C-alpha cells in the first residue's frame, strides 16, 4: 500500500528496481495498444493464391487468377463470395495493414532489411555523418558562443543576428547547401552542423549569463586575470551544463539526417525510409524508425556516461537523476 501511494506522490522518486519494472510494463502496454490499433485499421484484400497448384483449376475458373484487370473489374462481386468460392478461382483474402503495420510484420521486416538493403552498413553511414555533424557544430559553436557571451563588442554586433537564425526553416535551406556543396557527404555534414549551430551558439551565451556573481567576485578578490577567470570559472561551468544541451540537440539532428539522406542515393537510413515508402513497405519504414530510436537511446546513455566521467561532482547525491 505504501509503495502504491509512492507511485502517485508529486515529484516523488522511484527506486531503480521499480523504474525498471514500470519501464517494461509501459513498453508492453504500448506494444499491446499498437497491436490492437493495427488490427482495427487492417483490412482484407482479394489476391491470387500463389500457394496453390493452378493446374488443378479448370481453365474457365483461372480467369481472375491470370488477369489482374479482370480481378479489379469484378472486385465488388468477388467480395461477396465465400472463402471456398474464392479458392475455386485460385484466389484468397489477405489481411493487409495499409496505415499501421502490426508489430509482428515489423519484426519480420528486419531480416528483409538486412538481406536486401544492407541496413547495418547504412546505419553506420548515418551514424558517421551525424557524429561529424556534431563535431563540427561543437567546434564552431563553443568558441563563437564564448566570444559573443563574454565580449560586449561582439555581442552587440552579432548576437541578435545569430539569434534570428533560429527562425530559419532548415528544410528550406537544403537547396542552398546543395548549390554550395553538391549532393555528397560534405553537404550532409555541413547541413547537420548548421542545424545544431544555430541553436547551440545562443545556448552557450545563455550558459555564460547564468554564471553566478559569487564565483566571479571570488576570483576577482583573488586577483585572477581575465583568462584565469575564463579558464577557472566560465569554462568549467559552461562545459558542465552545455553537455546536456548538446545531448538534446544531437537527438534532434536525427530528424535532419533523414531529410538530407532522402535527397540522393548516397546511402544511409534516410534513404532506406524513402525506398521503403516507394515500395509501399510501411513495415520496413517502421522497422527503420525503431532502429533510429534504439540508436537515440544508446546515444543518450553514452552522453550520460561521458557526463558522469567528466563532471562527477554534478551527480553527487543525485544518483537517480538520469
Amino acid at each position: 500500500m505504501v509503495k502504491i501511494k509512492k507511485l502517485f506522490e508529486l515529484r516523488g522518486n522511484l527506486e531503480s528496481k521499480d523504474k525498471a519494472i514500470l519501464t517494461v510494463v509501459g513498453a508492453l502496454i504500448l506494444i499491446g495498444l499498437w497491436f490492437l490499433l493495427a488490427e482495427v485499421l487492417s483490412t482484407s484484400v482479394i489476391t491470387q493464391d500463389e500457394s496453390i497448384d493452378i493446374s488443378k483449376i479448370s481453365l474457365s475458373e483461372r480467369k481472375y487468377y491470370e488477369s489482374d484487370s479482370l480481378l479489379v473489374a469484378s472486385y465488388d462481386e468477388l467480395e461477396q463470395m465465400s472463402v471456398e468460392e474464392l479458392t475455386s478461382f485460385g484466389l484468397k483474402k489477405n489481411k493487409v495493414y495499409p496505415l499501421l503495420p502490426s508489430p509482428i510484420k515489423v519484426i519480420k521486416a528486419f531480416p528483409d532489411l538486412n538481406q536486401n538493403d544492407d541496413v547495418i552498413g547504412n546505419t553506420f553511414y548515418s551514424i558517421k555523418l551525424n557524429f561529424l555533424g556534431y563535431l563540427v557544430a561543437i567546434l564552431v559553436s563553443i568558441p563563437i558562443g564564448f566570444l559573443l557571451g563574454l565580449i560586449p563588442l561582439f555581442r552587440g554586433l552579432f548576437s541578435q543576428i545569430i539569434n534570428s537564425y533560429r527562425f530559419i526553416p532548415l528544410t528550406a535551406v537544403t537547396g542552398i547547401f546543395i548549390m554550395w556543396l553538391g549532393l555528397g557527404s560534405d553537404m550532409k555534414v555541413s547541413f547537420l552542423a548548421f542545424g545544431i549551430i544555430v541553436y547551440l551558439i545562443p545556448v552557450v551565451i545563455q550558459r555564460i549569463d547564468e554564471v553566478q556573481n559569487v564565483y566571479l567576485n571570488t576570483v576577482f578578490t583573488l586577483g585572477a586575470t581575465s583568462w584565469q577567470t575564463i579558464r577557472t570559472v566560465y569554462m568549467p561551468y559552461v562545459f558542465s551544463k552545455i553537455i546536456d544541451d548538446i545531448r538534446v540537440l544531437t537527438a534532434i539532428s536525427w530528424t535532419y539526417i533523414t531529410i538530407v539522406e532522402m535527397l540522393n542515393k548516397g546511402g544511409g537510413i534516410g534513404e532506406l525510409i524513402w525506398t521503403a515508402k516507394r515500395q509501399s513497405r510501411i513495415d520496413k519504414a517502421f522497422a527503420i524508425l525503431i532502429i533510429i530510436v534504439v540508436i537515440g537511446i544508446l546515444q543518450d546513455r553514452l552522453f550520460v556516461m561521458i557526463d558522469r566521467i567528466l563532471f562527477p561532482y554534478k551527480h553527487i547525491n543525485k544518483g537517480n537523476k538520469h
Side-chain angles (χ1 to χ4, degrees):
M1 186 65 186
V2 176
K3 272 198 166 184
I4 293 175
K5 189 178 177 181
K6 200 172 180 182
L7 292 176
F8 298 95
E9 186 179 290
L10 295 179
R11 299 197 68 183
N13 289 318
L14 295 173
E15 295 178 6
S16 300
K17 182 183 173 185
D18 294 334
K19 275 186 182 176
I21 293 172
L22 288 174
T23 301
V24 173
V25 172
L28 291 175
I29 290 172
L30 289 177
I31 292 172
L33 289 173
W34 176 9
F35 189 85
L36 184 64
L37 193 58
E39 291 299 319
V40 169
L41 296 174
S42 67
T43 184
S44 293
V45 295
I46 298 170
T47 62
Q48 288 90 350
D49 187 355
E50 296 177 354
S51 64
I52 63 168
D53 184 359
I54 192 64
S55 63
K56 293 180 180 178
I57 299 177
S58 65
L59 289 174
S60 61
E61 292 180 331
R62 295 182 194 175
K63 54 184 180 181
Y64 300 117
Y65 190 92
E66 294 176 340
S67 172
D68 287 335
S69 57
L70 186 59
L71 190 155
V72 172
S74 309
Y75 199 84
D76 291 340
E77 182 185 341
L78 292 169
E79 272 195 320
Q80 307 303 319
M81 295 181 181
S82 64
V83 173
E84 290 74 18
E85 287 175 307
L86 288 174
T87 304
S88 67
F89 289 113
L91 305 175
K92 66 177 182 178
K93 280 190 175 180
N94 270 332
K95 183 185 283 187
V96 296
Y97 301 86
L99 300 177
L100 185 65
S102 75
I104 295 172
K105 283 188 72 69
V106 173
I107 291 170
K108 287 181 178 177
F110 282 105
D112 191 3
L113 280 169
N114 186 44
Q115 188 173 353
N116 299 317
D117 298 295
D118 187 23
V119 69
I120 296 175
N122 281 296
T123 300
F124 277 103
Y125 178 72
S126 293
I127 291 173
K128 184 183 81 172
L129 290 184
N130 250 336
F131 174 75
L132 291 174
Y134 307 157
L135 195 61
V136 172
I138 292 168
L139 291 177
V140 171
S141 300
I142 290 181
I144 293 177
F146 267 87
L147 202 62
L148 297 179
L150 291 173
I151 310 296
L153 172 65
F154 294 112
R155 177 176 286 214
L157 285 172
F158 305 115
S159 182
Q160 290 302 320
I161 297 170
I162 290 179
N163 271 337
S164 65
Y165 288 171
R166 289 180 297 169
F167 302 105
I168 294 175
L170 292 176
T171 51
V173 300
T174 50
I176 296 172
F177 276 87
I178 291 172
M179 285 189 284
W180 285 343
L181 301 166
L183 284 167
S185 299
D186 291 343
M187 181 276 291
K188 295 173 182 176
V189 171
S190 302
F191 179 80
L192 292 171
F194 179 77
I196 298 173
I197 287 170
V198 293
Y199 293 104
L200 191 53
I201 291 176
V203 169
V204 174
I205 297 171
Q206 181 187 333
R207 294 301 187 190
I208 288 172
D209 291 342
E210 289 174 359
V211 174
Q212 297 174 22
N213 286 331
V214 63
Y215 302 124
L216 299 173
N217 291 336
T218 302
V219 294
F220 289 154
T221 303
L222 294 172
T225 62
S226 295
W227 169 242
Q228 286 172 329
T229 304
I230 293 171
R231 186 171 56 81
T232 58
V233 179
Y234 284 110
M235 290 177 72
Y237 181 87
V238 172
F239 288 161
S240 68
K241 299 290 184 183
I242 206 74
I243 191 168
D244 293 326
D245 303 313
I246 292 171
R247 198 174 106 199
V248 174
L249 290 173
T250 52
I252 295 172
S253 77
W254 278 96
T255 306
Y256 305 147
I257 198 166
T258 53
I259 294 170
V260 292
E261 285 179 346
M262 285 179 184
L263 297 174
N264 70 333
K265 290 281 186 182
I269 284 181
E271 185 190 322
L272 291 188
I273 292 178
W274 177 248
T275 304
K277 176 178 173 287
R278 294 182 65 181
Q279 296 172 343
S280 298
R281 290 292 304 272
I282 194 170
D283 53 334
K284 275 188 176 183
F286 268 72
I288 296 165
L289 291 178
I290 290 174
I291 291 172
I292 293 176
V293 170
V294 171
I295 293 170
I297 293 171
L298 294 176
Q299 175 183 285
D300 202 60
R301 292 295 92 191
L302 181 63
F303 271 107
V304 171
M305 190 173 71
I306 293 171
D307 189 35
R308 286 180 180 276
I309 293 172
L310 295 180
F311 310 105
Y313 55 87
K314 284 173 59 181
H315 304 277
I316 296 173
N317 298 326
K318 295 180 182 177
N320 294 323
K321 183 179 178 182
H322 295 290

